[in-house]
Amino acid sequence: MSHDQALERILPLTSTTFHVLVSLAGGARHGYGIAQEVEELTDGTIVMGPGTLYGTLKRMLANELIAEAENPGDDGLHTERRRYYEITALGRSALSAESDRLLRAARVAQERLSS
Amino acid sequence: MNDPMRSFYRVLLALYPSRFRERYAADLLQTFDDRRREARFSGLLGGLRLLFFLLTDFVVSMPMALERTDRSGGDGIMNDFLQDLRFSVRMLLKNPMFTVAAVVTLALGIGLNTATYTAVRNLLLAPLPGAEEPDRLVQMYRRWPGLEYGANSIPHYQDVRDRSGDVFENVAAWQFMPMALSADGRSERILGMVVSANFFQTYGVTPVHGRAFIPGEEDTGPGAHPVVVLGHSFWLTRFGGDPGAVGSSLVLNGDPYRIVGVAPPDFGGPMSVADTPLYVPIMMLGQIAPRIDLLEARGSNSFTTVGRLRDGATLERAEEVMASVLVQLREEYPSSYEEQLGTTLVLQSEAGIHPSFGSTQGAMSAVIMAVVGLLLLIACVNVANLFLARARDRRHEMGVRLSLGASRGRIVRQLLTESLMFALVAGVAGLGLAKLATGLLAGFRPPIDGPWRFDFSMDGSVLAFTFLVSVAAGVVFGMAPALQAARSDTVAAVKGEGGGTGGRSRTSSVLVMAQMALSLLLLISSGLFLRSLQSAMEIDPGFEDPSSLVMASFDPGLQGYEQEETQAFFDRIAEQVTALPEVSSVTYTNDVPLSLGSSDTSLDIPDYEFAENERRNAFYAMVREGYFETMGIELVEGRTYTRADDADGAPVLIVNQRFAERFWPGESAVGKTVNDRTVVGVVETGKYNSLGEDPAEFMYYPQRSAYRSEMTLVARTAGEPEAVLPRIREVVRANDPNLPIYDVRTMETHMGTALLPARLAGSVLGIFGLLGLTLAGVGIYGVMAYSVSQRRRELGIRVALGAERASVLKLVVGEGMRLAVVGAVIGLIAAFGATRLLQGLLYNVGATDPVAFVGVPAVLLSVAALAVYLPARRAASVDPNRVLKAE
């Protein structure tokens, strides 16, 4: 499957997937870290439970939007047991395409509201 | 760490599919720990919040966890199941004809079972709707020699109520009574209920509007309480559900009654099959039924008495108390209680429609349940056979799946999933069929006058029943093909070979025998019932040519006529109807034959000694002169009545032949004395309550000296009877436009309703039998044809090796028929046993009726012979080369 075909199949992103990608665009994180950042990014509207978190990650891994990353090993307690995730090239393209789409939609909305 | 929330989450985790669990369980638990440390999720309140959070999370994430993200085989049993389900739906849609045939067959079986279960449950097993704690209600009957469930008189009821307070909170009495309801200047006859003042309290029923009767007040002072409580549906239809109806009044038998309350919608009265329009206190009996003084007559037994047991009181204790009450009463009123043997107590929950139907209603419903159960089994065998035939077509597919590494367990599971799917689809269709059937049943009106209501609503227990039946059916018919598939030989299956080399499969042999045996059992049983009904319909009713008789009923007493006015009214109407050109003669009776509800009375015969427990009661009717002539009932001895047999003449009586032979065998009955009356005539014995009854003793009182105001006019016509009916109605209306006239009909219509139960049972059994015969015929043909076609290859080889076609044919037909005959013998033995149990329910037909026991097997064996012969001939005539090449 080519890069573009894969993109087409994935887009548009669900808002949970979108925010997970945004959090990972800032660097590799472990599961709980992702959940915390997503909650922050969305002002607490998306609070992911363990099942939803790993269900989403499992799906995103399968779609190759993210990949497992090396454990940086300096995260305090239990570090060796935590799995880290990072964004893939496909993930970056998907995130950029989705944010363009959202921007266009937002611009149209604001133009109409101000006119 | 000993956190109960954490243990709970571990349990929850175990429910995820194994693949998801293996990969992420540690991370999930880790995240849980992280969350638990957050401020909002700590402490007790936080723990609860977390619990809610985790449960929602679990449900939301399950589909993601189930999702297959790779293509490498199974993902736990849930996923297998989903896959099986998807596959099953595909298979169902791929063979629509097969699906329709199997689903329709099964749906019929399941639907009939559901409908029958609903009817039996609602009629016989369900507690009284609307009553509070119906398990504590007890019906009471006076027991006499030969009469187990005798009704109660008002004085008797009052004494029982006042003396049994130890065991009963309340004791109520009720009876249906005809009343004339007047509105807008017109009168109509309705069947209302006369009840004791504590009636609603006893049943634990609170009116939705207004109040109930007041015990202690409205059960004293005869005639002092013209009040009425309306039934809910009567209130809806007549008063449009207006709460303002309470406080207004309505007119019964010419007197105004104040409406004080409205019964709740779920309570239709003390009988679950009737919907009572209105309730009047027994103190008004003098106004409702002026002809008899029921309030005073200790011997006038017509009320049903019901008590509510006190908390902790048992039926045994109640029986002791009732026995001691009877001892007291016997001392106080020796003549009234001399012959009463005791009191029969029946729990409301065990009474059914009426306890006297007891064993019959139970036995009949057991028979019908058994018959529809058998039908379902036959349907299952048919569908099993369809599945088996299809399993053969799918042999190749199964073989491929087995050799690609699918486990046998997996294949069996796949096939069972398929059959369960089938069964559930059929179950839903069956539920629809059952809804249709019970809808038809609910419209049925019995030929006895009354505010009938049949409630066949289906509730959770019916749904559960249907579900269980469907699942059981699915397992029964799914087992055979699944097991056969599991046994099949991989190599042979992939190569597309037939049933191996061993000839027929054992599964299909068993199916042939089972089909034959079950069909015989079903058809012989229903055949016997049909024969029994048939012979019941050919019975002589005991009077001449019903087709030219018409009738009409009215009760001038309801309009407040005194006895003399009433008699004069009857005379006038008779005269005017006789004057009609189409009418040849006219008479009156209070009990037209075959009305199902003759009254009976105790006998006093001076020169006859009753043995202990000998039946002492006989049916009777009040008739006017000309009755025997008009009806065409033959006079055997003595004379019939004339106008002179009135209150001023000597007290006389006419009895039937059966009566005369029982009490004065070999002697002339004329001149003998019965109940202080002299027998003046003997007439032929007829049928009085139902055509199926045994000959019964019957007495005819002259109405002119044994007054009744509610009478039925009977006229014999010369022309078209239907045309006379409106003329009679006109005559009555011209004499009193306000008098309700009812049951205006021809004798044929009347007998039709009398025959209705028999006809209904006959058509239901007939439909079952026909359905059974069709299913059995199709089934036997299918099973036999299939087992022969399995041997095509073997037969081809035999022919190729030089066997004569004729001898091959003989071999196959012989083997097939041997199985059919073995099945038939098993079925005959089972039917022989089963019909012994039915003996008591059959009329005029032996339990070993030759028509049923020879005819049915003959038909079924012919079907079997045809079913084995046709495919065998085809198999034997096929070109051996083609059969052998077909591999």
Side-chain angles (χ1 to χ4, degrees):
Chain A
M1 204 184 305
S2 80
H3 195 82
D4 286 349
Q5 275 175 319
L7 262 187
E8 203 165 303
R9 201 164 56 87
I10 293 160
L11 291 172
L13 299 176
T14 67
S15 75
T16 309
T17 310
F18 177 77
H19 290 295
V20 169
L21 284 178
V22 174
S23 80
L24 287 181
R29 276 173 175 75
H30 56 67
Y32 180 56
I34 297 171
Q36 277 179 312
E37 186 153 5
V38 168
E39 195 175 331
E40 225 164 87
L41 284 166
T42 60
D43 296 327
T45 50
I46 297 183
V47 184
M48 287 193 282
T52 319
L53 174 63
Y54 283 97
T56 309
L57 292 179
K58 173 187 165 209
R59 189 184 272 170
M60 290 173 74
L61 278 170
N63 288 332
E64 292 170 12
L65 290 170
I66 57 172
E68 286 195 27
E70 294 255 329
N71 185 338
D74 55 22
D75 197 53
L77 284 170
H78 310 302
T79 40
E80 60 289 320
R81 269 171 53 197
R82 289 187 192 269
R83 247 190 276 250
Y84 272 70
Y85 300 90
E86 64 186 5
I87 192 163
T88 61
L90 182 66
R92 281 187 185 282
S93 317
L95 184 56
S96 126
E98 182 71 8
S99 52
D100 285 349
R101 191 180 68 81
L102 289 173
L103 263 180
R104 276 197 306 276
R107 201 175 299 131
V108 173
Q110 294 201 323
E111 273 167 20
R112 297 206 173 161
L113 283 171
S114 60
S115 66
Chain B
M1 201 187 306
N2 206 357
D3 181 3
M5 287 299 299
R6 195 169 199 271
S7 325
F8 168 77
Y9 195 58
R10 277 175 171 281
V11 174
L12 211 56
L13 281 186
L15 297 175
Y16 278 115
S18 58
R19 281 182 83 82
F20 186 75
R21 214 169 53 227
E22 276 162 25
R23 198 168 149 81
Y24 293 112
D27 300 78
L28 288 164
L29 213 54
Q30 175 72 60
T31 317
F32 170 84
D33 292 340
D34 292 335
R35 285 285 184 203
R36 188 74 168 124
R37 254 178 260 121
E38 289 178 18
R40 56 182 160 171
F41 291 134
S42 57
L44 183 68
L45 203 66
L48 286 176
R49 199 178 288 133
L50 183 59
L51 179 71
F52 181 72
F53 177 64
L54 291 175
L55 282 174
T56 322
D57 175 58
F58 175 76
V59 174
V60 171
S61 62
M62 190 46 119
M64 287 191 276
L66 280 172
E67 214 168 67
R68 309 195 60 171
T69 49
D70 54 5
R71 300 272 151 224
S72 63
D75 195 353
I77 195 148
M78 261 324 260
N79 223 342
D80 279 358
F81 175 71
L82 288 178
Q83 203 187 8
D84 287 349
L85 210 61
R86 263 200 303 274
F87 191 74
S88 304
V89 173
R90 270 212 302 279
M91 291 309 293
L92 281 177
L93 297 177
K94 215 165 111 187
N95 295 307
M97 279 313 288
F98 170 81
T99 306
V100 167
V103 165
V104 165
T105 310
L106 264 188
L108 276 175
I110 295 174
L112 280 177
N113 275 272
T114 303
T116 312
Y117 171 77
T118 309
V120 168
R121 194 189 66 104
N122 286 21
L123 287 182
L124 304 180
L125 306 177
L128 188 64
E132 189 187 67
E133 293 185 74
D135 291 344
R136 282 167 57 199
L137 293 173
V138 179
Q139 300 182 359
M140 299 176 217
Y141 297 92
R142 296 176 78 174
R143 188 161 69 244
W144 307 92
L147 182 64
E148 183 73 15
Y149 303 101
N152 304 268
S153 65
I154 294 295
H156 173 76
Y157 151 72
Q158 286 166 337
D159 285 332
V160 166
R161 178 193 64 197
D162 296 341
R163 299 176 192 209
S164 62
D166 282 358
V167 282
F168 293 114
E169 269 176 30
N170 261 320
V171 180
W174 56 265
Q175 190 196 355
F176 278 114
M177 281 210 171
M179 305 170 189
L181 171 74
S182 320
D184 310 326
R186 296 207 38 181
S187 278
E188 70 178 300
R189 178 179 176 275
I190 60 166
L191 213 52
M193 194 174 276
V194 178
V195 302
S196 58
N198 61 0
F199 174 82
F200 290 102
Q201 288 82 354
T202 305
Y203 281 95
V205 171
T206 314
V208 281
H209 295 293
R211 61 167 174 89
F213 299 127
I214 305 166
E217 189 186 320
E218 281 163 342
D219 52 9
T220 55
H225 308 284
V227 288
V228 58
V229 170
L230 304 181
H232 196 268
S233 46
F234 182 81
W235 172 65
L236 283 182
T237 52
R238 301 302 174 99
F239 294 89
D242 175 16
V246 175
S248 66
S249 59
L250 51 76
V251 176
L252 292 175
N253 296 6
D255 301 322
Y257 283 69
R258 194 159 51 85
I259 301 171
V260 295
V262 178
D266 54 349
F267 182 72
M271 280 179 87
S272 61
V273 293
D275 192 8
T276 312
L278 49 83
Y279 307 83
V280 171
I282 43 178
M283 280 301 133
M284 301 308 292
L285 269 170
Q287 283 65 42
I288 298 295
R291 59 188 181 266
I292 330 156
D293 196 357
L294 288 173
L295 284 175
E296 299 295 327
R298 191 167 286 273
S300 269
N301 298 306
S302 56
F303 281 78
T304 303
T305 304
V306 174
R308 175 173 288 275
L309 285 174
R310 282 193 182 284
D311 231 355
T314 61
L315 195 62
E316 290 71 41
R317 178 83 190 101
E319 266 161 357
E320 286 167 28
V321 169
M322 292 306 291
S324 73
V325 169
L326 184 60
V327 170
Q328 295 167 19
L329 290 173
R330 202 173 276 148
E331 275 172 21
E332 292 165 38
Y333 311 96
S335 65
S336 303
Y337 290 92
E338 203 177 32
E339 283 164 17
Q340 185 178 344
L341 299 175
T343 308
T344 311
L345 298 185
V346 188
L347 279 174
Q348 173 75 34
S349 53
E350 285 161 18
I353 297 171
H354 189 275
S356 62
F357 303 162
S359 57
T360 321
Q361 59 192 1
M364 257 337 256
S365 39
V367 166
I368 293 185
M369 276 313 273
V371 164
V372 295
L374 271 177
L375 260 177
L376 180 61
L377 263 183
I378 292 175
C380 281
V381 174
N382 281 3
V383 175
N385 188 46
L386 277 172
F387 264 72
L388 213 53
R390 202 180 56 145
R392 185 189 47 171
D393 298 338
R394 286 171 66 185
R395 243 199 158 74
H396 185 71
E397 172 206 331
M398 294 298 164
V400 171
R401 292 178 63 181
L402 275 174
S403 54
L404 287 180
S407 70
R408 281 172 206 277
R410 184 71 209 286
I411 297 230
V412 168
R413 210 156 65 209
Q414 161 70 35
L415 287 170
L416 275 180
T417 308
E418 251 181 79
S419 46
L420 281 177
M421 270 270 302
F422 251 89
L424 289 178
V425 170
V428 172
L431 209 56
L433 274 177
K435 193 97 197 126
L436 210 72
T438 49
L440 290 176
L441 264 183
F444 167 67
R445 288 289 165 267
I448 314 173
D449 191 20
W452 301 106
R453 171 178 70 174
F454 293 99
D455 176 21
F456 291 123
S457 54
M458 298 178 176
D459 62 2
S461 98
V462 171
L463 288 182
F465 175 84
T466 310
F467 179 75
L468 284 181
V469 165
S470 309
V471 169
V475 171
V476 166
F477 74 75
M479 220 32 138
L483 289 181
Q484 205 187 37
R487 268 208 313 274
S488 68
D489 169 19
T490 323
V491 181
V494 175
K495 284 164 73 183
E497 282 169 9
T501 47
R504 79 182 57 250
S505 83
R506 214 173 53 223
T507 322
S508 81
S509 304
V510 171
L511 282 185
V512 170
M513 290 193 290
Q515 183 73 298
M516 198 69 195
L518 289 173
S519 310
L520 265 180
L521 181 56
L522 171 72
L523 293 179
I524 288 181
S525 309
S526 38
L528 277 180
F529 270 100
L530 284 177
R531 293 267 301 152
S532 157
L533 290 170
Q534 186 190 10
S535 62
M537 313 254 283
E538 287 164 359
I539 297 161
D540 174 14
F543 55 89
E544 259 171 43
D545 189 17
S547 63
S548 66
L549 288 172
V550 296
M551 61 185 79
S553 305
F554 39 91
D555 182 355
L558 285 184
Q559 285 297 101
Y561 285 44
E562 295 300 326
Q563 178 166 345
E564 267 176 40
E565 291 175 274
T566 304
Q567 297 289 40
F569 187 83
F570 283 143
D571 289 342
R572 203 158 61 238
I573 300 290
E575 230 167 77
Q576 292 172 13
V577 173
T578 313
L580 294 173
E582 308 92 332
V583 173
S584 57
S585 72
V586 170
T587 188
Y588 290 92
T589 173
N590 74 330
D591 181 21
V592 178
L594 305 175
S595 297
L596 289 177
S598 289
S599 313
D600 63 337
T601 187
S602 173
L603 294 176
D604 179 21
I605 304 173
D607 52 352
Y608 185 84
E609 201 63 41
F610 282 94
E612 201 178 329
N613 285 337
E614 183 179 350
R615 193 180 137 80
R616 228 201 132 114
N617 285 45
F619 294 115
Y620 66 93
M622 314 315 186
V623 301
R624 281 194 145 205
E625 65 278 358
Y627 179 75
F628 305 101
E629 293 79 0
T630 306
M631 293 291 288
I633 297 171
E634 200 182 319
L635 181 71
V636 181
E637 195 187 354
R639 66 168 177 91
T640 58
Y641 290 133
T642 66
R643 281 188 78 122
D645 293 313
D646 58 14
D648 300 329
V652 292
L653 189 70
I654 292 177
V655 300
N656 70 357
Q657 250 179 318
R658 164 88 188 170
F659 193 107
E661 278 159 14
R662 174 171 159 200
F663 296 110
W664 311 285
E667 289 179 63
S668 166
V670 173
K672 298 282 196 277
T673 306
V674 178
N675 292 4
D676 298 326
R677 284 173 177 268
T678 309
V679 175
V680 292
V682 178
V683 296
E684 67 176 310
T685 306
K687 297 296 175 188
Y688 305 100
N689 283 303
S690 71
L691 285 174
E693 73 189 13
D694 289 330
E697 298 81 21
F698 205 88
M699 303 183 287
Y700 299 93
Y701 286 82
Q703 187 262 357
R704 285 180 189 278
S705 76
Y707 174 64
R708 281 287 188 282
S709 67
E710 181 184 11
M711 298 292 281
T712 301
L713 176 147
V714 180
R716 192 168 286 279
T717 62
E720 183 59 40
E722 292 284 349
V724 184
L725 297 177
R727 308 292 298 272
I728 296 177
R729 208 188 277 272
E730 280 162 28
V731 169
V732 176
R733 199 159 281 160
N735 282 278
D736 183 345
N738 283 329
L739 183 68
I741 171 166
Y742 53 94
D743 289 350
V744 183
R745 56 191 176 193
T746 64
M747 179 62 87
E748 289 215 309
T749 314
H750 170 75
M751 287 177 69
T753 51
L755 282 174
L756 201 63
R759 285 204 177 133
L760 199 76
S763 39
V764 166
L765 276 174
I767 291 169
F768 284 1
L770 213 62
L771 213 70
L773 189 65
T774 314
L775 280 181
V778 171
I780 287 174
Y781 189 92
V783 175
M784 303 284 291
Y786 167 60
S787 74
V788 172
S789 70
Q790 268 195 319
R791 303 179 62 187
R792 274 168 72 106
R793 211 174 97 83
E794 176 211 336
L795 300 180
I797 293 174
R798 280 177 192 264
V799 173
L801 291 179
E804 286 285 324
R805 282 177 207 280
S807 72
V808 168
L809 202 60
K810 213 172 106 187
L811 176 86
V812 176
V813 172
E815 277 182 19
M817 287 312 284
R818 202 153 54 227
L819 282 180
V821 168
V822 171
V825 169
I826 296 173
L828 277 174
I829 293 170
F832 194 76
T835 51
R836 290 307 87 182
L837 302 173
L838 302 181
Q839 184 80 71
L841 299 171
L842 297 174
Y843 177 78
N844 231 1
V845 176
T848 27
D849 181 57
V851 176
F853 270 86
V854 176
V856 174
V859 169
L860 289 187
L861 284 173
S862 316
V863 172
L866 205 66
V868 74
Y869 175 74
L870 291 179
R873 201 183 57 175
R874 211 167 47 235
S877 62
V878 87
D879 179 2
N881 285 327
R882 270 184 37 212
V883 178
L884 294 176
K885 269 190 198 156
E887 291 178 21

